[in-house]
Amino acid sequence: MLFFVKQAIQDILSNSFLYGVTVITIAFLILIVSAFGLFFLNVDDMICSWKKEVRMMVYLKKDINENQLFDLKRKIKGISGISNATFISRDEALKYLKEQMKRQSSLLDNLEKNPLPDAFEITISQSIANPEKIESIATRVEVFPQVEDVEYGQRWIGRFINIFNLFRLAGFTMSCLFLMATVFIVANTIRLVLYSKREELEIMRIVGASNIFIKAPFYIVGILEGAVGGVIGIAGLFIAFSFISSSMEQTASSCIINIRFFPLSISCGIIFCSIFVAWLGCYFSLRQFLKV
Amino acid sequence: MLFFVKQAIQDILSNSFLYGVTVITIAFLILIVSAFGLFFLNVDDMICSWKKEVRMMVYLKKDINENQLFDLKRKIKGISGISNATFISRDEALKYLKEQMKRQSSLLDNLEKNPLPDAFEITISQSIANPEKIESIATRVEVFPQVEDVEYGQRWIGRFINIFNLFRLAGFTMSCLFLMATVFIVANTIRLVLYSKREELEIMRIVGASNIFIKAPFYIVGILEGAVGGVIGIAGLFIAFSFISSSMEQTASSCIINIRFFPLSISCGIIFCSIFVAWLGCYFSLRQFLKV
Amino acid sequence: MIDKNAIIRVFHVHKRYGSKNALIDVTFDVAKNEFLFISGPNGAGKSSLLKLLYLAEGVSEGEILIDGINLSRISRKRIPLLRRKIGVIFQDFKLIPTKTVFENVALVLEVAGNKKHTIQKKVKRLLRAGGMEEKLDSYPAGLSSGEQQRVAFARAVAGDPKIILADEPTGSLDDESAGIILDILKKLHVLGTTVIIATHNKELIHTISARTIYLEKGRLKQDIPRTSKIISL
Amino acid sequence: MIDKNAIIRVFHVHKRYGSKNALIDVTFDVAKNEFLFISGPNGAGKSSLLKLLYLAEGVSEGEILIDGINLSRISRKRIPLLRRKIGVIFQDFKLIPTKTVFENVALVLEVAGNKKHTIQKKVKRLLRAGGMEEKLDSYPAGLSSGEQQRVAFARAVAGDPKIILADEPTGSLDDESAGIILDILKKLHVLGTTVIIATHNKELIHTISARTIYLEKGRLKQDIPRTSKIISL
Ligand SMILES: Nc1ncnc2c1ncn2[C@@H]1O[C@H](COP(=O)(O)OP(=O)(O)OP(=O)(O)O)[C@@H](O)[C@H]1O
Ligand SMILES: Nc1ncnc2c1ncn2[C@@H]1O[C@H](COP(=O)(O)OP(=O)(O)OP(=O)(O)O)[C@@H](O)[C@H]1O
Ligand SMILES: [Mg+2]
Ligand SMILES: [Mg+2]
């Protein structure tokens, strides 16, 4: 084993051009794919933080007693997809509304009496993402006799969830595409490298080398290439990310979202992916050039 | 010239493995980069369509006569960044509000008199994207004596414009990165191909071939590869796009946005880019292998 | 026809490349520890025949047995083991351009799983015998043709093969070097190695009294035993 | 020393590869239409000397003039033109593996800008002369060594060069083919071509009465004119 590693390192040194090209190719592809992944990671963060805001107001009929309230709360909480329900009295609600409307709150000063009813604020489970589900929850709540009306989500939340689901779909499809492409390009690069060494392979075979003897150094080199390429790619991404995020902080100081880099575990995962891709490339190429 | 083209085609046929690899690599890279571009094109479309909604309501003091109104309108329109201002009477406004609030409109039924003032609806130029500018426009409008209050944009519009600007920034940075990576990977692939033909190049030189004679076929092959790779890449993207967009139509029937593919001109531009990149790859590689 | 002493048996072998018949119905046995010339003009099929023997190509028809193993039926795992019994000097040397002279020769021993120490000693000894001790760390591109051929020779004999197949082993060598190489081959033969030399060089054949097989246009035309030399060539 | 008739002038040339001295202070002239052997044992520097002449390498010291042009000062644009005046048979053939035999030979004529029709005719004629008419569409890998050498020869003479540099041109050929090739070289010499043959093959040198330069360890040891043959080798 140690022998093969030595062989491999020697091989890398004497063919530094070929292997350099492979490492750079892998690094760039890892950079691209993980840049894309990072982008979607952050978009997803945003979606999650917005989804938390998907709430529903259940306005109650007038003159409901405590018992009925308690009963209703229990029933509402029993509906799947609803994670919480908080009672908000009409006075609370008016105060809240005034706060919300800020500049427009003067409008409410003209009111003679509080026109708002008592209400429950319902929190929708984050797993329920599409507006159809939310709609169906709303209708199920509406049928309770004590319920006057259900108002849910600002219209745009529904729209955005849809759009962001599309984002995610597109992102997922593209990620798959990118990954496939990466495997393919890396495999091709390694194939080209092996192609220019095919005579060498042939000579080794005729000199009596077993298949494992021929292949082992290539796999070791491939794994090293994958590791080095992956690390360079992630490092490059991190540098690019630092630039972007620092420039973001300048232009978007008022913006509440904060973007983040991959956690360490995912970074390591990407490097492993990169190693795996290089290994796969070796595997396919060696199969091609060592048929007999 | 014709001779070189013939040479090139013959070369492609007898080295189909090498050139196949290059074409596939180019195709995948074009696919990736243009998928990314397409994604941002559509995101941009959305942003534009949302930006159109960036409006400002200017609530006026009571008892303003026609002259003052006209004067105010003129002044408001004079502020840079404001593209239009429409007068909305208080009755119109209430009707509009009721429509907008739909489920909550019952609240308004309790009103004894219309609490709303007259107002101007101001449309902000689409080129003004960041919320700071919008804020400053708001304060400039607020100082007019006839103006009671300015209410602008739902809070989220401001937030989103920021986020989408970040999107665009990220998208732009990533596109640059991707393009660089593409040039690099294509150049590398072509370098590997030339590397495995370096003896051939050497022989041709010693046999008395001029540099142009040696290089021309490579450039022609490179351009062909770029063109074919580009077309395959775009075609692949189009197929992927068709799948996504048709699945989108199923899952997101309620969604108002409609995604689109590149217009023909951009598609052609991408193919030209692809050709250029391949040409560039040839250029760098030939410089390396034909030093003397 | 069954000769228990035969280490190589070639039995009605045909070799076709497309429509080209490189070998047509060639049959002969090589005894253990025989010294054999394969002779014939350019394109006679000498190299093609050797290629079949070192398993670089398969026969189109017929059977070849080496050391009792039928090459058409050998399992893929055993091919490397068989190849290690055969040392080949290729007509075009086939040195690995990315390895130094030392590494090229050492490869054969590494492949067979020898110890590093043994390899060092043996390779150096062999290259010294070929007058290549100064070139240990050169790459093949930095050698003259004669020097390359000597390295190829060292590699062929490094693994102590039972059979040595030499394709034009002195083609690039001056008379002195050729003499040295031939002497070594003769010594190995005395020590028990089976030596097969393919050459069109009649002079070479005349310097050593040995059995000679004469090929022409892919056919085995003459099989001249050791004694009756010089007569028919 | 100034010889107006010299087509090649080699003047105190040294060639070093790293610390290795391949050529040491070599000086000689070659007259127009001379027939010259460069002889010497393996590693003497024969191929190195030829490499300098066909501009594959540059000298480390000294000057070489070909047809009045100093190779150290030639502009890069004129190098291809000069090379077309020189036909080279390489010791290792250097055929392009991805081109057929026909294309390999035709290349020289295409490079010089000949018409397609002319090329067709000429290449076929040349290959027929070398007995390669059946192999027009073969790739070099499908040829025997002798056949490859014949193609290399055809390519070297295809461009009607003023100077032919042949590095061991008969190394892989049987006696008959070697005879044919030598005959052609002699004919070309008669027609005015300068022919330089590098070889360690003493037999070959003896068959033709010509001036012989003898190299040893990179030094020019003897320069034997045409008349005084056989004496000192
Ligand atoms: N891979 C191949 N494809 C097609 N034809 C081939 C191939 N290899 C050899 N041949 C043909 O088979 C014939 C025999 O070739 P071989 O190399 O065995 O000759 P040889 O006896 O070694 O000649 P030489 O003395 O020139 O080396 C030749 O005519 C050659 O063209
Ligand atoms: N590129 C190189 N790098 C280092 N040394 C070289 C290189 N080319 C040649 N040499 C050395 O220069 C010396 C002369 O080599 P050259 O090829 O000229 O010999 P030669 O006379 O052609 O021999 P042969 O008859 O074996 O072909 C040799 O010792 C060789 O090792
Ligand atoms: Mg042969
Ligand atoms: Mg030489």
Side-chain angles (χ1 to χ4, degrees):
Chain A
M1 188 63 202
L2 196 74
F3 170 74
F4 286 130
V5 173
K6 269 190 198 162
Q7 285 275 96
I9 288 171
Q10 206 182 33
D11 196 29
I12 290 175
L13 292 179
S14 59
N15 289 285
S16 46
F17 166 68
L18 293 178
Y19 297 123
V21 168
T22 315
V23 167
I24 291 170
T25 303
I26 294 177
F28 267 117
L29 286 168
I30 290 296
L31 184 64
I32 289 183
V33 175
S34 56
F36 197 72
L38 187 60
F39 179 76
F40 270 93
L41 178 80
N42 281 296
V43 169
D44 212 57
D45 275 6
M46 281 183 224
I47 297 175
C48 282
S49 72
W50 288 332
K51 257 205 215 146
K52 286 197 190 116
E53 293 174 30
V54 178
R55 283 173 193 170
M56 220 176 250
M57 292 303 289
V58 180
Y59 296 104
L60 305 180
K61 294 219 172 96
K62 281 169 192 169
D63 315 318
I64 292 171
N65 65 27
E66 291 251 321
N67 259 357
Q68 280 175 310
L69 255 182
F70 187 77
D71 192 46
L72 183 62
K73 184 168 182 174
R74 206 174 38 78
K75 280 187 192 152
I76 287 175
K77 276 190 155 181
I79 294 171
S80 79
I82 293 178
S83 63
N84 204 8
T86 322
F87 178 71
I88 294 172
S89 74
R90 51 203 301 244
D91 300 330
E92 257 180 289
L94 187 62
K95 222 178 82 193
Y96 188 65
L97 186 63
K98 278 184 182 170
E99 268 171 27
Q100 259 196 329
M101 292 179 95
K102 263 201 236 149
R103 283 167 177 267
Q104 232 175 338
S105 65
S106 57
L107 294 179
L108 296 175
D109 295 343
N110 294 327
L111 294 177
E112 298 189 342
K113 53 167 190 170
N114 183 353
L116 299 175
D118 289 330
F120 274 114
E121 191 188 54
I122 291 175
T123 314
I124 306 288
S125 305
Q126 285 185 42
S127 56
I128 309 296
N130 58 337
E132 285 82 18
K133 280 255 179 69
I134 294 174
E135 181 85 51
S136 87
I137 290 174
T139 39
R140 286 181 67 185
V141 173
E142 243 166 351
V143 295
F144 294 121
Q146 299 90 341
V147 171
E148 167 82 46
D149 200 0
V150 174
E151 188 228 21
Y152 66 90
Q154 297 85 335
R155 212 184 348 139
W156 61 268
I157 284 276
R159 187 210 264 176
F160 280 139
I161 283 177
N162 244 334
I163 289 168
F164 284 131
N165 282 341
L166 292 186
F167 266 35
R168 278 179 153 179
L169 177 69
F172 186 72
T173 321
M174 283 164 77
S175 298
C176 288
L177 216 71
F178 285 16
L179 212 71
M180 260 176 50
T182 302
V183 173
F184 220 92
I185 292 174
V186 170
N188 268 355
T189 308
I190 293 175
R191 263 164 86 199
L192 282 180
V193 170
L194 284 181
Y195 179 79
S196 67
K197 300 188 123 215
R198 65 199 182 287
E199 287 201 333
E200 191 170 329
L201 295 181
E202 184 61 26
I203 294 170
M204 290 187 72
R205 272 210 359 235
I206 286 187
V207 146
S210 57
N211 262 350
I212 183 101
F213 186 93
I214 300 176
K215 284 177 180 173
F218 284 105
Y219 279 122
I220 293 170
V221 168
I223 287 169
L224 280 179
E225 283 171 345
V228 174
V231 169
I232 294 176
I234 287 284
L237 180 63
F238 185 74
I239 292 167
F241 169 83
S242 304
F243 273 113
I244 294 181
S245 68
S246 71
S247 71
M248 265 186 181
E249 267 157 33
Q250 288 167 6
T251 60
S253 47
S254 64
C255 176
I256 45 148
I257 53 142
N258 39 24
I259 60 169
R260 62 185 175 123
F261 197 67
F262 291 120
L264 195 67
S265 61
I266 294 185
S267 300
C268 290
I270 290 172
I271 292 170
F272 273 110
C273 256
S274 156
I275 293 174
F276 178 70
V277 166
W279 179 87
L280 214 67
C282 283
Y283 177 75
F284 287 129
S285 318
L286 285 170
R287 258 170 54 122
Q288 185 183 358
F289 288 112
L290 284 177
K291 264 181 200 146
V292 181
Chain B
M1 186 63 200
L2 197 73
F3 170 77
F4 287 131
V5 173
K6 269 191 197 163
Q7 284 275 98
I9 288 169
Q10 205 184 35
D11 195 30
I12 289 174
L13 293 179
S14 59
N15 289 285
S16 47
F17 166 69
L18 292 179
Y19 296 122
V21 167
T22 314
V23 167
I24 291 170
T25 303
I26 293 176
F28 267 116
L29 286 168
I30 290 296
L31 184 62
I32 290 184
V33 175
S34 57
F36 196 73
L38 187 59
F39 178 76
F40 271 93
L41 178 79
N42 282 295
V43 169
D44 213 55
D45 275 6
M46 279 184 225
I47 296 174
C48 281
S49 71
W50 287 332
K51 257 206 215 144
K52 285 195 189 119
E53 292 174 32
V54 179
R55 282 174 194 169
M56 222 180 250
M57 292 304 289
V58 179
Y59 297 104
L60 304 180
K61 295 216 172 100
K62 281 172 193 167
D63 314 317
I64 290 172
N65 65 28
E66 292 248 324
N67 260 358
Q68 281 175 309
L69 256 181
F70 187 76
D71 192 47
L72 185 61
K73 184 167 181 173
R74 202 174 41 78
K75 280 186 193 155
I76 287 176
K77 275 191 158 180
I79 294 172
S80 81
I82 294 178
S83 63
N84 203 8
T86 323
F87 179 70
I88 296 170
S89 73
R90 51 206 301 245
D91 300 330
E92 256 179 288
L94 187 62
K95 223 177 77 190
Y96 188 65
L97 186 64
K98 277 183 184 172
E99 265 171 29
Q100 259 197 328
M101 291 179 98
K102 264 199 232 152
R103 283 164 178 269
Q104 233 176 338
S105 63
S106 57
L107 293 178
L108 296 175
D109 296 343
N110 294 325
L111 294 175
E112 297 187 344
K113 54 166 190 168
N114 183 353
L116 298 176
D118 289 331
F120 275 114
E121 190 187 55
I122 290 175
T123 314
I124 306 290
S125 305
Q126 285 183 44
S127 57
I128 308 296
N130 57 340
E132 285 81 17
K133 280 256 178 68
I134 295 174
E135 180 85 51
S136 85
I137 291 173
T139 38
R140 286 183 66 184
V141 173
E142 243 168 349
V143 295
F144 293 122
Q146 300 89 340
V147 172
E148 165 84 46
D149 203 358
V150 175
E151 188 225 26
Y152 66 91
Q154 297 84 336
R155 210 184 347 138
W156 60 268
I157 284 273
R159 190 209 262 175
F160 280 139
I161 284 179
N162 244 331
I163 289 168
F164 284 132
N165 281 342
L166 293 186
F167 267 35
R168 279 179 152 179
L169 177 69
F172 185 72
T173 320
M174 282 164 79
S175 298
C176 287
L177 217 70
F178 286 16
L179 212 71
M180 259 177 51
T182 302
V183 173
F184 220 94
I185 292 173
V186 170
N188 267 355
T189 308
I190 293 175
R191 264 163 86 195
L192 281 180
V193 170
L194 284 181
Y195 179 79
S196 68
K197 298 187 125 216
R198 64 198 182 290
E199 286 200 335
E200 192 170 328
L201 295 181
E202 184 60 27
I203 294 169
M204 291 186 72
R205 277 221 340 246
I206 285 187
V207 146
S210 57
N211 263 350
I212 184 100
F213 186 93
I214 299 176
K215 285 178 180 174
F218 283 104
Y219 279 122
I220 293 169
V221 168
I223 287 168
L224 281 178
E225 284 172 344
V228 174
V231 169
I232 294 176
I234 287 285
L237 181 63
F238 186 74
I239 293 168
F241 170 83
S242 306
F243 273 113
I244 294 181
S245 69
S246 72
S247 73
M248 265 186 181
E249 267 157 33
Q250 288 168 7
T251 60
S253 48
S254 64
C255 177
I256 43 147
I257 53 140
N258 39 23
I259 60 170
R260 63 184 174 123
F261 197 67
F262 291 119
L264 194 66
S265 60
I266 292 185
S267 300
C268 290
I270 290 172
I271 292 169
F272 274 111
C273 256
S274 158
I275 292 173
F276 178 69
V277 166
W279 179 86
L280 214 66
C282 283
Y283 177 75
F284 287 129
S285 318
L286 285 171
R287 258 168 55 118
Q288 185 182 0
F289 287 112
L290 284 178
K291 265 182 200 146
V292 181
Chain C
M1 269 287 290
I2 293 171
D3 179 357
K4 285 230 165 175
N5 214 24
I7 193 166
I8 296 177
R9 311 202 61 190
V10 177
F11 192 69
H12 295 301
V13 161
H14 293 248
K15 178 67 193 176
R16 290 182 207 98
Y17 295 105
S19 65
K20 167 83 194 171
N21 287 303
L23 290 172
I24 304 163
D25 200 22
V26 174
T27 304
F28 64 92
D29 284 359
V30 182
K32 264 188 191 123
N33 194 23
E34 195 162 16
F35 199 112
L36 174 74
F37 281 112
I38 298 176
S39 169
N42 291 140
K46 307 181 291 295
S47 301
S48 301
L49 182 54
L50 293 191
K51 271 182 200 151
L52 298 181
L53 296 182
Y54 58 75
L55 287 95
E57 308 256 6
V59 297
S60 303
E61 230 175 89
E63 310 277 337
I64 296 180
L65 279 82
I66 293 183
D67 220 5
I69 301 167
N70 188 327
L71 299 193
S72 321
R73 299 213 205 108
I74 188 169
S75 76
R76 283 183 54 187
K77 288 222 164 172
R78 293 188 60 196
I79 291 180
L81 297 176
L82 181 60
R83 279 186 175 138
R84 286 178 210 163
K85 291 184 191 166
I86 305 174
V88 191
I89 304 167
F90 301 92
Q91 199 164 6
D92 51 356
F93 317 141
K94 290 208 195 299
L95 301 178
I96 297 177
T98 55
K99 288 189 193 287
T100 64
V101 166
F102 178 87
E103 288 161 6
N104 263 289
V105 178
L107 178 64
V108 182
L109 297 170
E110 283 164 3
V111 152
N114 286 277
K115 292 246 170 62
K116 212 183 147 181
H117 180 71
T118 335
I119 295 176
Q120 280 270 348
K121 248 172 58 181
K122 190 159 189 183
V123 172
K124 284 195 177 151
R125 186 168 55 73
L126 277 168
L127 287 171
R128 210 173 304 125
M132 294 294 298
E133 61 269 44
E134 284 172 17
K135 298 277 181 180
L136 282 181
D137 297 324
S138 300
Y139 288 90
L143 300 180
S144 84
S145 299
E147 289 161 350
Q148 288 184 33
Q149 190 154 41
R150 279 180 262 166
V151 176
F153 176 79
R155 184 179 63 184
V157 299
D160 295 321
K162 277 182 159 184
I163 304 171
I164 292 176
L165 303 178
D167 199 351
E168 218 70 70
T170 59
S172 299
L173 297 181
D174 55 37
D175 296 351
E176 195 191 337
S177 310
I180 295 172
I181 298 293
L182 278 183
D183 282 345
I184 298 176
L185 282 178
K186 274 189 265 182
K187 257 182 229 157
L188 290 171
H189 172 237
V190 170
L191 293 173
T193 312
T194 307
V195 178
I196 301 181
I197 299 177
T199 184
H200 50 65
N201 187 339
K202 288 175 188 161
E203 215 186 333
L204 181 64
I205 297 173
H206 291 302
T207 57
I208 298 176
S209 157
R211 177 182 168 201
T212 302
I213 284 177
Y214 189 77
L215 292 178
E216 212 180 282
K217 292 189 182 158
R219 289 181 198 277
L220 198 160
K221 284 280 166 179
Q222 283 181 292
D223 190 341
I224 309 147
R226 187 173 169 185
T227 42
S228 60
K229 213 46 189 292
I230 306 174
I231 301 163
S232 49
L233 278 179
Chain D
M1 269 285 290
I2 293 171
D3 179 358
K4 284 229 165 175
N5 213 23
I7 193 166
I8 297 176
R9 311 200 64 188
V10 177
F11 192 69
H12 295 300
V13 162
H14 293 250
K15 178 67 193 175
R16 288 181 209 100
Y17 295 105
S19 64
K20 168 83 194 173
N21 287 302
L23 290 173
I24 303 165
D25 199 23
V26 174
T27 304
F28 64 92
D29 284 1
V30 181
K32 264 189 192 125
N33 194 22
E34 193 161 17
F35 199 110
L36 174 73
F37 281 113
I38 299 176
S39 169
N42 291 140
K46 305 183 292 294
S47 301
S48 301
L49 182 54
L50 292 191
K51 272 182 200 153
L52 298 181
L53 295 182
Y54 58 74
L55 288 95
E57 308 255 6
V59 297
S60 303
E61 231 174 89
E63 311 276 338
I64 296 180
L65 278 82
I66 293 183
D67 220 4
I69 301 166
N70 188 328
L71 299 192
S72 322
R73 298 213 205 108
I74 188 170
S75 75
R76 285 182 54 184
K77 288 220 162 173
R78 295 189 59 194
I79 291 180
L81 298 176
L82 181 61
R83 279 186 175 137
R84 285 177 211 163
K85 291 185 191 166
I86 306 172
V88 191
I89 305 168
F90 302 91
Q91 198 165 6
D92 52 356
F93 317 143
K94 290 209 194 298
L95 301 177
I96 297 177
T98 56
K99 291 191 190 288
T100 65
V101 165
F102 179 87
E103 289 161 4
N104 262 289
V105 179
L107 179 64
V108 182
L109 297 169
E110 284 163 1
V111 152
N114 286 278
K115 291 247 170 62
K116 211 183 147 179
H117 180 72
T118 336
I119 295 176
Q120 280 270 348
K121 250 175 51 183
K122 188 157 191 186
V123 171
K124 284 195 177 146
R125 185 168 56 72
L126 276 168
L127 287 171
R128 210 174 302 123
M132 295 294 299
E133 62 269 45
E134 285 173 17
K135 299 275 181 181
L136 281 183
D137 297 324
S138 300
Y139 288 90
L143 299 181
S144 83
S145 300
E147 289 161 352
Q148 289 184 34
Q149 191 153 42
R150 280 180 263 166
V151 177
F153 176 78
R155 184 179 63 184
V157 299
D160 295 323
K162 278 183 159 183
I163 304 170
I164 292 178
L165 303 177
D167 199 351
E168 218 71 71
T170 59
S172 299
L173 297 180
D174 57 35
D175 296 351
E176 196 190 336
S177 310
I180 295 172
I181 297 294
L182 278 183
D183 283 345
I184 298 177
L185 283 178
K186 276 188 265 183
K187 256 183 230 154
L188 289 172
H189 172 237
V190 170
L191 292 173
T193 312
T194 307
V195 178
I196 300 180
I197 299 178
T199 184
H200 49 66
N201 188 337
K202 289 175 188 161
E203 218 185 331
L204 181 65
I205 297 175
H206 291 302
T207 58
I208 298 175
S209 159
R211 176 182 168 201
T212 302
I213 284 177
Y214 188 77
L215 290 178
E216 211 178 282
K217 293 190 180 157
R219 290 180 197 277
L220 198 162
K221 287 278 167 181
Q222 284 181 292
D223 190 341
I224 310 149
R226 189 174 169 185
T227 43
S228 61
K229 211 55 192 283
I230 306 177
I231 302 165
S232 50
L233 278 178

